[in-house]
């Protein structure tokens, strides 16, 4: 049986159509029940979608994504170069970096970076006369950028060697965008951080979480669309 014939058989299989119809009915009923659910407070969702604080959080999320993506891309390139080098020391260091930062959960890494002053309260860089207060240097934003960049750099170093470069960069961008939601634990007013702050003031937990979910859907879809356009442009070019 040819591949085309096999595909035609799958597409015309009545069992598949029955399953598809059942799933469509279930999804339709679920969507309708959500739309009619008064606990979602759709008016509050619409009202907060373009709230100034929410938009500020979206903008900070975008900036964090760009900064972390650029840093992770550079770190990942260095790690990949070290892995491919003939020097066993460089290769070993790169392997250790990917192992450590690719294994420890990103949330744990962020918490460690935010408390680095407890380990190194006085940063000297090994230079006589240089004394920098780690509490003042490692702010929550810098801790978030460092933690995410190192984690995402390890992610890139693992993902790229076995796949297409553009696909790897697209995955890195989307994953970085999603991971920025973790910085809210450092009291950073990104999208999720703003939503949580608003929840504490007005107790609209579900509507504000829906607002965050909608914005993340928009941002991730836009990122994937940009990568898709770049891939099509490369193919046509």
């Amino acid at each position: 049986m040819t591949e085309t014939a096999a595909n035609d058989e799958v597409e015309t299989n009545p069992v598949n159509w029955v399953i598809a119809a059942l799933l469509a009915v279930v999804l339709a009923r679920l969507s309708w029940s959500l739309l009619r659910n008064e606990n979602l407070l759709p008016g509050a969702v619409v009202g907060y979608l373009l709230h100034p604080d929410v938009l500020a959080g979206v903008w900070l999320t975008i900036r964090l994504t760009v900064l972390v993506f650029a840093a992770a891309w550079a770190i990942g390139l260095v790690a990949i170069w070290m892995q491919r080098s003939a020097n066993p020391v460089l290769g070993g260091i790169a392997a250790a970096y990917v192992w450590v930062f690719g294994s420890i959960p990103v949330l744990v890494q962020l918490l460690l970076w935010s408390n680095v002053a407890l380990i190194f309260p006085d940063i000297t860089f090994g230079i006589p006369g240089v004394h920098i207060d780690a509490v003042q240097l490692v702010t929550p934003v810098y801790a978030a950028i460092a933690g995410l960049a190192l984690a995402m750099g390890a992610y890139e170093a693992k993902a790229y060697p076995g796949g297409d470069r553009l696909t790897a960069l697209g995955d890195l961008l989307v994953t970085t965008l999603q991971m920025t939601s973790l910085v809210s634990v450092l009291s950073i007013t990104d999208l999720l951080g703003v939503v949580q702050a608003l929840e504490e003031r007005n107790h609209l937990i579900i509507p504000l979480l829906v607002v965050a979910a909608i914005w993340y859907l928009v941002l991730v879809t836009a990122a994937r669309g940009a990568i898709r356009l770049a891939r099509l442009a490369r193919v046509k070019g």
Side-chain angles (χ1 to χ4, degrees):
M1 180 182 295
T2 64
E3 182 177 353
T4 302
N7 291 337
D8 291 340
E9 182 179 348
V10 171
E11 292 176 358
T12 57
N13 191 326
V15 175
N16 291 345
W17 283 107
V18 171
I19 295 174
L22 290 175
L23 288 176
V25 170
V26 171
L27 290 175
R29 290 183 62 86
L30 177 61
S31 299
W32 181 246
S33 64
L34 286 174
L35 289 173
R36 297 189 61 186
N37 194 320
E38 296 180 356
N39 294 323
L40 287 178
L41 299 176
V45 173
V46 174
Y48 276 99
L49 270 178
L50 299 179
H51 189 280
D53 290 348
V54 172
L55 293 179
V58 171
W59 177 232
L60 180 55
T61 293
I62 294 173
R63 285 183 290 165
L64 281 174
T65 300
V66 172
L67 288 172
V68 172
F69 174 77
W73 173 73
I75 293 171
L77 284 182
V78 173
I80 292 169
W81 169 76
M82 292 172 66
Q83 286 177 322
R84 293 179 174 179
S85 70
N87 189 303
V89 176
L90 292 177
I93 292 174
Y97 159 70
V98 172
W99 171 57
V100 172
F101 289 91
S103 300
I104 300 175
V106 180
L107 180 57
V108 176
Q109 295 186 48
L110 290 176
L111 293 174
L112 284 172
W113 274 101
S114 66
N115 291 286
V116 72
L118 299 177
I119 306 172
F120 302 106
D122 188 33
I123 300 176
T124 65
F125 298 107
I127 303 175
V130 175
H131 298 280
I132 302 175
D133 186 356
V135 175
Q136 296 181 352
L137 178 63
V138 186
T139 64
V141 172
Y142 288 154
I145 293 173
L148 288 176
L150 288 168
M152 293 298 98
Y155 173 87
E156 182 193 9
K158 289 190 300 182
Y160 170 58
D164 174 69
R165 180 62 179 164
L166 188 54
T167 299
L169 284 176
D171 292 341
L172 176 65
L173 177 61
V174 171
T175 304
T176 299
L177 174 56
Q178 294 169 330
M179 287 296 179
T180 59
S181 63
L182 296 176
V183 306
S184 61
V185 301
L186 305 183
S187 300
I188 296 175
T189 53
D190 69 316
L191 173 56
L192 184 57
V194 166
V195 163
Q196 290 174 332
L198 290 172
E199 287 174 1
E200 293 178 359
R201 296 206 300 261
N202 54 35
H203 306 293
L204 296 173
I205 298 175
I206 296 301
L208 285 166
L209 286 176
V210 172
V211 168
I214 291 173
W215 270 112
Y216 280 117
L217 279 171
V218 170
L219 294 174
V220 170
T221 301
R224 286 177 173 158
I227 295 299
R228 181 174 177 80
L229 289 175
R231 188 179 293 113
L232 292 174
R234 187 184 66 172
V235 170
K236 292 181 179 179

